[in-house]
Amino acid sequence: MSALLFLYRQVLQIELPYIVVRSRDGSDRHSVIVQLTAKGIALADEVMSVLFAQEGALLSEFATPEELETLVPLLRRLLLAMDAAE
């Protein structure tokens, strides 16, 4: 599943009052504009800080910058392969 489709599905599932606002695009009736409210932005900031801390802890297991330089392209290939499989 592409990241965009995944995100769209997540927005549909978590559309909560005061977090996300959806509106129709006046110039394209097939498009929907999705915006975070101020509360949604604050929640996203909080979640992202936790995510970055966890990511940092996981990546700290790699001892050298060379290991990280090897890991990043491999992960990118994995994600692309997963998208292509769906």
Side-chain angles (χ1 to χ4, degrees):
M1 172 184 333
S2 74
L4 186 57
L5 180 57
F6 175 78
L7 179 61
Y8 176 74
R9 286 183 179 172
Q10 294 304 310
V11 167
L12 290 178
Q13 291 177 7
I14 67 165
E15 184 180 5
L16 301 171
Y18 312 109
I19 302 292
V20 177
V21 177
R22 291 191 305 165
S23 60
R24 290 278 175 204
D25 184 344
S27 62
D28 180 358
R29 65 185 184 116
H30 298 289
S31 295
V32 175
I33 298 170
V34 178
Q35 293 178 303
L36 291 173
T37 63
K39 184 176 179 180
I41 291 169
L43 179 61
D45 288 344
E46 184 179 331
V47 168
M48 292 307 289
S49 66
V50 171
L51 176 66
F52 289 143
Q54 289 178 342
E55 181 182 80
L58 288 171
L59 293 177
S60 70
E61 295 297 318
F62 295 91
T64 67
E66 291 79 17
E67 287 179 326
L68 286 174
E69 288 177 18
T70 300
L71 177 64
V72 170
L74 292 173
L75 289 175
R76 185 173 294 120
R77 284 177 51 195
L78 176 62
L79 288 173
L80 290 172
M82 290 169 63
D83 277 349
E86 292 185 8

